[in-house]
Amino acid sequence: MSQHRHPGAPGRAGAVPTLPDLPEATVARLPEYLRALHNLADSGHETVSSEGLANAAGVNSAKLRKDLSHLGSYGTRGVGYDVALLIEQIESVLGLTQCRSVALVGVGNLGHALAGYDGFATRGFRIAALFDADPARVGEEINGLVVRHVDELSRVAAEQLISIGVIATPARAAQAVADQLVAVGVTSILNFAPCVLSVPEGVDVRKVDLAIELQILSFHEHRKASLTALPGTAGSALTALPGGLAATDTQEAIGT
Amino acid sequence: MSQHRHPGAPGRAGAVPTLPDLPEATVARLPEYLRALHNLADSGHETVSSEGLANAAGVNSAKLRKDLSHLGSYGTRGVGYDVALLIEQIESVLGLTQCRSVALVGVGNLGHALAGYDGFATRGFRIAALFDADPARVGEEINGLVVRHVDELSRVAAEQLISIGVIATPARAAQAVADQLVAVGVTSILNFAPCVLSVPEGVDVRKVDLAIELQILSFHEHRKASLTALPGTAGSALTALPGGLAATDTQEAIGT
DNA sequence: CGCGATTTGTGCACGTCTTCACAAGCGCCT
DNA sequence: AGGCGCTTGTGAAGACGTGCACAAATCGCG
């Protein structure tokens, strides 16, 4: 995760036109709200209540209101939130008003899929360049982009501003790639390699490890299995457990 | 805190003693520790200090000690942790002593990559079956597995116990797939589709959304960029550049 | 115009997570 | 044996995140 520092605490000066350092948990949920809002806009909704948006995003309505309150009062009491306005605001806060360029390093199994994933383009990201260290892969064309050798990274980065670097290499190559990315000025990295990256301060790294997700699920499976083996209530003993049961961030079943 | 329990005599029939409900944050880190421990074991280390393991896992040493303390006292003061023993314990807690079967639904761009990802097999997971709704994809063989039609899910699930379901379909198909998985008894789902799943209580859902990760990074990029602007520039309107908003819809291109 | 229905925004209390700091325990050396 | 250095395990305190409950604000309608 990213670590940042609190700069000196300056007193609040008047209104809030700039970014009032959002809580990290809120930032992590804003993209989910944004996706839900786009869905609502597509289906013709012009306004939405906190309850409605919270349901669509899979969170508690109080949490949603608090999250949104952090970026200002863009709702209307008694009515709800204007969908278009809220989209605009969240995109502004997330810095999505500009299309950001992504450099993808490692065009193996996973990288190949990422290069072809249209979920990036549809949400304001453009894959600007593909790299790989394997000469056999250099020159291959994926989705209209030619794979270049990773050593060309600095040259390519000089041509176009790279906003985010994505690492989809094997673990043993990830740190070297990260170093190269940092060297060309990339300060945000999304790491799919199963390893810890060491980066200088000011560089944000987010990690996605598919196996870890499975292992976390495995734990819950294991726990549930050992609970059913316990005495007494067979069947769905789960529903009888106290509220603290699944403390994961999994969404609850949305009541109808 | 509560009593740490002993692993129990191996001769005794009966499962590992009941799991002392671990904090969820701890559970999420255990797989990372496990990976670091395997690396250490491979490089010949027999013991490791909390400081060393914490570095390898990218966390604070105090946090690591507290995490490990939740599963018992498996360290030796003045020495550190026995690597092999700790691996054994964490794998036991995570329920990784048995190989878990995974059903993967959606063999599109991402699903194809997941089916070929060896990071699953190397960490105790076996992809037991592949499914897709597109008849054109049914019958295709990936990594030695034949893609079956999703309607066969219940029949296949009857043959072999499915521990975890992975959804890699377009968003519009995800809920139906989730319902089918739940219907055949799956209680753990890993969802790659960008949507909220509604599942009954007792079913765990973890979500991985690649675009969301990028958007979170985008926020930090945006914040860093606005910090580099001198603090003297107060009140620079963020929305001053609405020329060509690239805010396309979240409508996913459906491939199946 | 005023009133009631509705919904936002938020103060407050509570629970969870993180970090510090240190006592307790272990091994080694003299 | 005894002391010394090192490391774990753990209270305690603080930071952070969550959810309740309600006042404030707005709209629609008679």
Side-chain angles (χ1 to χ4, degrees):
Chain A
M1 291 298 207
S2 56
Q3 70 252 356
H4 0 99
R5 56 182 63 252
H6 274 197
R12 294 183 320 157
V16 194
T18 57
L19 311 178
D21 47 334
L22 275 350
E24 188 59 30
T26 295
V27 174
R29 283 187 293 264
L30 285 182
E32 195 75 44
Y33 302 156
L34 190 56
R35 187 188 49 72
L37 284 166
H38 275 130
N39 283 349
L40 288 167
D42 287 348
S43 49
H45 294 71
E46 295 204 346
T47 64
V48 64
S49 69
S50 65
E51 190 72 25
L53 183 53
N55 274 353
V59 300
N60 185 301
S61 72
K63 197 189 306 195
L64 180 131
R65 286 199 299 276
K66 184 149 292 186
D67 282 341
L68 294 187
S69 76
H70 284 127
L71 33 112
S73 289
Y74 295 109
T76 306
R77 299 179 189 226
V79 177
Y81 298 92
D82 182 285
V83 173
L85 175 63
L86 201 48
I87 287 178
E88 198 177 328
Q89 285 305 321
I90 293 181
E91 287 185 344
S92 164
V93 167
L94 290 179
L96 299 175
T97 49
Q98 53 177 307
C99 177
R100 295 189 176 271
S101 293
V102 174
L104 172 59
V105 186
V107 198
N109 212 345
L110 180 61
H112 207 285
L114 293 176
Y117 183 49
D118 56 352
F120 292 157
T122 59
R123 293 201 239 177
F125 295 94
R126 185 179 67 91
I127 298 190
L130 306 177
F131 299 95
D132 204 300
D134 184 358
R137 286 219 178 87
V138 173
E140 184 183 354
E141 184 174 325
I142 303 173
N143 239 23
L145 271 177
V146 177
V147 177
R148 313 190 192 207
H149 193 273
V150 68
D151 290 339
E152 292 189 66
L153 202 152
S154 61
R155 202 167 58 72
V156 175
E159 295 169 10
Q160 43 194 317
L161 182 70
I162 299 296
S163 189
I164 296 174
V166 176
I167 299 179
T169 67
R172 63 180 178 279
Q175 182 61 58
V177 170
D179 293 342
Q180 285 178 279
L181 286 170
V182 170
V184 302
V186 171
T187 55
S188 290
I189 294 176
L190 180 54
N191 179 31
F192 286 91
C195 65
V196 175
L197 292 183
S198 166
V199 296
E201 209 168 340
V203 176
D204 285 303
V205 176
R206 291 192 68 84
K207 186 183 167 189
V208 175
D209 190 321
L210 312 179
I212 283 184
E213 300 298 325
L214 285 185
Q215 289 174 341
I216 295 173
L217 285 175
S218 172
F219 168 79
H220 291 295
E221 276 295 300
H222 189 50
R223 190 176 50 79
K224 282 184 280 196
S226 60
L227 280 183
T228 56
L230 280 183
T233 61
S236 62
L238 289 169
T239 56
L241 286 176
L245 167 64
T248 64
D249 57 354
T250 62
Q251 66 266 16
E252 299 293 321
I254 298 175
T256 47
Chain B
M1 273 322 231
S2 61
Q3 59 301 350
H4 48 69
R5 25 177 96 256
H6 210 62
R12 282 231 273 146
V16 180
T18 63
L19 308 176
D21 49 340
L22 265 12
E24 188 57 32
T26 295
V27 174
R29 284 187 293 265
L30 285 181
E32 195 76 44
Y33 302 157
L34 189 57
R35 188 188 49 72
L37 283 166
H38 274 130
N39 283 349
L40 287 167
D42 287 348
S43 50
H45 294 72
E46 295 203 347
T47 65
V48 64
S49 70
S50 66
E51 189 74 24
L53 183 54
N55 274 353
V59 300
N60 185 300
S61 71
K63 197 189 306 195
L64 180 130
R65 286 201 298 276
K66 181 143 291 192
D67 282 341
L68 294 187
S69 77
H70 284 127
L71 33 113
S73 289
Y74 295 110
T76 306
R77 298 179 189 225
V79 178
Y81 298 91
D82 182 285
V83 172
L85 175 62
L86 201 48
I87 287 177
E88 198 177 329
Q89 284 305 319
I90 293 181
E91 287 187 342
S92 164
V93 168
L94 291 179
L96 299 174
T97 49
Q98 52 177 307
C99 177
R100 294 189 177 272
S101 293
V102 174
L104 172 59
V105 186
V107 198
N109 213 344
L110 180 61
H112 208 284
L114 293 176
Y117 184 48
D118 57 353
F120 291 158
T122 60
R123 292 200 240 176
F125 295 94
R126 186 179 66 92
I127 298 190
L130 305 177
F131 299 95
D132 204 301
D134 184 358
R137 284 220 178 87
V138 173
E140 184 183 354
E141 182 173 325
I142 302 173
N143 240 21
L145 271 177
V146 177
V147 178
R148 312 191 193 205
H149 193 272
V150 69
D151 291 338
E152 292 188 67
L153 203 152
S154 60
R155 203 169 57 72
V156 175
E159 294 170 11
Q160 45 194 317
L161 183 70
I162 299 296
S163 189
I164 297 174
V166 176
I167 299 179
T169 67
R172 69 158 61 157
Q175 182 62 58
V177 169
D179 293 342
Q180 286 179 279
L181 285 170
V182 170
V184 302
V186 171
T187 54
S188 290
I189 294 177
L190 181 54
N191 180 30
F192 286 92
C195 65
V196 175
L197 293 183
S198 166
V199 296
E201 210 169 340
V203 176
D204 284 303
V205 176
R206 292 192 66 86
K207 185 183 169 191
V208 175
D209 190 322
L210 312 178
I212 283 184
E213 299 298 323
L214 285 185
Q215 288 173 341
I216 295 173
L217 284 174
S218 171
F219 167 80
H220 291 296
E221 276 295 300
H222 189 51
R223 192 179 50 80
K224 281 184 281 195
S226 61
L227 280 186
T228 56
L230 279 179
T233 62
S236 68
L238 294 168
T239 59
L241 189 61
L245 282 185
T248 55
D249 301 335
T250 54
Q251 172 105 355
E252 310 288 325
I254 311 298
T256 55

